[in-house]
Amino acid sequence: MKVSIIGAGLMGHALALVFAIGGHRVRLTDNSPAALARAPSLMEKARATLEGAGEANGLTEAGLRERVTLHDNLAETVADAELVIEAIIEKPEVKRALFAGLDPLMPPDAILASNTSYLDAFPLMPPGRLKRAILMHWYTPPYLVDLVDLVGSPECPPELVEQVAAMLRAMGKVPLVMRRFLPGYLANRIQSALAGECYRLMDEGYATPQEIDAAIIHGLGLRLLLLGQMAKADFTGLPLSAQALANGMYQPPPPRRNSETLDRALAEGHTGVMAGRGLYDWGGQDPEALLAERDRRLLALKRAMKEIGPMAGLEDKNA
C-alpha cells in the first residue's frame, strides 16, 4: 500500500518505520525542516535495535531508505496515496486547516486517517471525505507497542474499517475496533485515571516518583501484564471486588487541569528524557541511548510474553 504520513515528529517518523517494516512504501513530510531532517537517523536507530532482536522483518538500512522517502511538498507527499495518516499537533484548528489543505490534493478514493488521542477529528474533516475517514490511534513507540485503536466515521462503512484492521493484523499489530468514538479510547482513559492518582500522591506529599513507580512495577505491573484488570478480578474473586466497591474506601481525585509537581518541573526546564531530566534526573545520559535501551528492554519483555502466552480465555479475539 502507498502510505503518506503528515508529521515527522515523535509518532510520525516511528509510524513510517512501522509501515516500512510491514512492506509498505511511505512518503513522509513535516512543516518543520529540522524535524524532517532528523527522521532518517531516528528511524535507522530504531530499525537497528529491532534488527538486533530479529524483529525488523528483514528490513535493512538500505531497504528503509528505499521504502521511506522524505518530501517537503504536501501535494507531492499525498499524490497517488492509498492511505494518508495525519500525525500532527493535537490542536483542532491546526488539524482542520491541514485536512482542508489535503482535500484537493488527495486521490478521491484514498483513506484519510488521524492519529489523534483525544480529539474527535471527524467534525474537522471535509464532509466529502467522511465515507473513507477513520481514526487510527497508535501508542509510542508504535514499532514496539502493538495496540492500535480504530474508529470509523459515522459515514464510514464497517467493511473499510475491517480492511484496515486486516492490514494491521498482517503487520503483526493488534487493532481494537471501537464501536464509536470515545476520547482517549480505552487504554488512554485507564492511563489517565492512573496518572491523575499518581500526580495527586506526589502533589500531596505521599510519595516520590520513584516510590510510585516501585509500587506499579513490583505490585501492579506483574499481574496486570499477565491477566489485565478484569481477569485479575476473577482470580482475586468477585465478592472481594464487590465488597471493595461497597465499602467506598477509594475516592478518585477531583479532575484537575494541572499538577504542582509537573508545573515545578516544567518551570525548571525539566521536560523529560530529551532534556536530561524530568521527574527523574537521567544523569546527563545521551537521550538516544536511553531510548535505544528502553526499546531493547521492551523487546526482551515482548519476547518473554510471547513465550509465556496468554492465560486460557484471554486470547486476543481481534488477532
Side-chain angles (χ1 to χ4, degrees):
M1 178 175 279
K2 296 176 183 177
V3 180
S4 297
I5 299 175
I6 316 301
L10 176 68
M11 290 300 295
H13 80 270
L15 289 178
L17 174 61
V18 169
F19 279 95
I21 290 172
H24 302 281
R25 293 195 171 272
V26 183
R27 292 177 181 174
L28 179 65
T29 192
D30 198 291
N31 62 3
S32 165
L36 194 60
R38 278 196 306 269
S41 172
L42 294 171
M43 286 188 290
E44 172 50 27
K45 283 184 170 63
R47 186 212 62 81
T49 300
L50 293 170
E51 183 179 50
E55 297 285 340
N57 197 27
L59 183 67
T60 63
E61 182 176 1
L64 176 61
R65 288 196 301 268
E66 180 184 350
R67 287 186 188 173
V68 180
T69 56
L70 308 182
H71 303 265
D72 58 10
N73 180 286
L74 196 59
E76 182 182 273
T77 304
V78 301
D80 301 324
E82 297 170 90
L83 171 64
V84 176
I85 302 174
E86 168 270 309
I88 66 170
I89 191 168
E90 288 281 90
K91 292 187 177 180
E93 291 312 310
V94 178
K95 289 185 186 292
R96 188 192 302 275
L98 174 63
F99 293 140
L102 284 171
D103 189 30
L105 304 176
M106 289 172 50
D109 58 349
I111 299 169
L112 178 58
S114 174
N115 181 53
T116 181
S117 299
Y118 285 94
L119 294 174
D120 182 355
F122 296 131
L124 308 177
M125 296 177 178
R129 288 285 172 184
L130 292 178
K131 289 184 178 179
R132 298 185 66 80
I134 61 173
L135 305 183
M136 180 191 288
H137 175 247
W138 300 72
Y139 295 81
T140 185
Y143 47 83
L144 293 180
V145 181
D146 292 332
L147 180 65
V148 186
D149 300 312
L150 283 181
V151 188
S153 82
E155 298 180 30
C156 182
E159 295 79 15
L160 187 141
V161 179
E162 177 50 38
Q163 173 191 336
V164 174
M167 176 191 67
L168 294 172
R169 292 187 197 105
M171 293 164 59
K173 300 304 175 183
V174 180
L176 180 61
V177 178
M178 301 285 292
R179 294 168 182 81
R180 60 186 181 276
F181 173 70
L182 178 69
Y185 313 96
L186 302 185
N188 271 354
R189 292 179 73 88
I190 295 167
Q191 183 173 255
S192 291
L194 178 64
E197 182 62 43
C198 291
Y199 287 124
R200 182 183 76 86
L201 291 170
M202 287 189 292
D203 289 346
E204 297 182 8
Y206 287 103
T208 66
Q210 292 84 350
E211 289 165 344
I212 289 170
D213 284 347
I216 292 170
I217 292 168
H218 300 294
L220 297 180
L222 187 66
R223 296 173 297 173
L224 291 179
L225 188 60
L226 181 65
L227 294 168
Q229 175 63 26
M230 309 322 296
K232 183 173 73 69
D234 275 356
F235 276 81
T236 303
L238 296 185
L240 183 60
S241 295
Q243 189 60 55
L245 288 173
N247 288 345
M249 296 297 291
Y250 172 71
Q251 297 296 324
R256 301 174 65 189
R257 294 187 177 273
N258 77 299
S259 157
E260 290 87 350
T261 305
L262 275 178
D263 292 345
R264 193 161 50 246
L266 292 172
E268 294 170 356
H270 302 157
T271 58
V273 164
M274 298 305 289
R277 185 168 179 177
L279 297 173
Y280 283 74
D281 185 346
W282 295 99
Q285 297 179 71
D286 175 40
E288 292 192 4
L290 285 169
L291 292 172
E293 180 63 11
R294 176 205 62 183
D295 289 356
R296 186 188 68 77
R297 293 179 184 229
L298 282 174
L299 280 164
L301 185 58
K302 283 186 70 172
R303 285 198 300 273
M305 288 306 298
K306 284 181 181 178
E307 188 174 325
I308 293 168
M311 293 286 294
L314 287 177
E315 292 84 359
D316 176 35
K317 300 302 189 295
N318 286 311

